Amino acid sequence: MFKVMFHQPRIPPNTGNAIRLVAGTGCELHLVGPLGFDLSEPKLRRAGLDYHDLASVTVHEDLDAAWAALQPDRVFAFTAHGSTPYAEIAYRPGDVLLFGPEPTGLTQQVLTDPHVTAQVRIPMVPGRRSLNLSNAAAVVTYEAWRQHGFAGGV
């Protein structure tokens, strides 16, 4: 339904958690390299448990390769500096939900990429840098899915 994209992820358990997220929601996970780990790493396998075979996971060499493969209509880049709160977006199936690497987030170059439709934020109390990557992806993915009545869910 939605495409969760991690740009240059660095922490294996976050990606493992995202594998469980997409398996549980029927979304796709797109990993954009270079990755900060090997996909066979034990920490990633442990976090993903037995969901690897149930998840749609695609690795793209770089962002250009991801855009060429996906040809997205809408891409929402999540950043603490975004002006639009995530819950104010009317998500559509096929939307790309783009999240940056730990601990830096998306670079200015990625945030201003012509494919990016909007820079979006997840509200937090003042003085906090960011949420954990897999938690942020879960918050947004479930809001997008909720807007569509949890289609396909039980």
Side-chain angles (χ1 to χ4, degrees):
M1 175 164 266
F2 302 100
K3 296 168 175 45
V4 177
M5 181 181 283
F6 283 5
H7 184 259
Q8 301 180 348
R10 298 282 173 251
I11 301 175
N14 283 335
T15 299
N17 290 339
I19 289 169
R20 292 178 72 178
L21 170 67
V22 300
T25 59
C27 294
E28 300 172 4
L29 179 60
H30 293 268
L31 304 174
V32 178
L35 307 182
F37 50 85
D38 184 290
L39 286 176
S40 65
E41 202 163 309
K43 290 179 183 176
L44 181 137
R45 305 282 314 163
R46 189 176 318 114
L49 292 174
D50 56 351
Y51 289 84
H52 294 269
D53 294 338
L54 302 173
S56 172
V57 180
T58 304
V59 179
H60 304 277
E61 183 177 336
D62 55 30
L63 200 52
D64 289 335
W67 297 148
L70 296 173
Q71 299 184 2
D73 288 330
R74 301 190 331 160
V75 177
F76 296 102
F78 292 87
T79 172
H81 309 291
S83 57
T84 304
Y86 79 99
E88 291 182 11
I89 301 293
Y91 297 97
R92 297 192 304 231
D95 283 349
V96 174
L97 312 174
L98 172 61
F99 300 87
E102 319 90 333
T104 59
L106 295 167
T107 65
Q108 193 61 32
Q109 180 179 358
V110 173
L111 289 170
T112 58
D113 184 289
H115 291 90
V116 172
T117 304
Q119 295 181 24
V120 183
R121 67 181 169 82
I122 299 171
M124 295 181 290
V125 297
R128 306 313 186 265
R129 187 172 44 95
S130 65
L131 291 177
N132 169 278
L133 176 60
S134 59
N135 290 342
V139 166
V140 174
T141 300
Y142 268 88
E143 171 58 19
W145 194 27
R146 181 197 67 78
Q147 290 180 13
H148 292 272
F150 298 108
V154 292

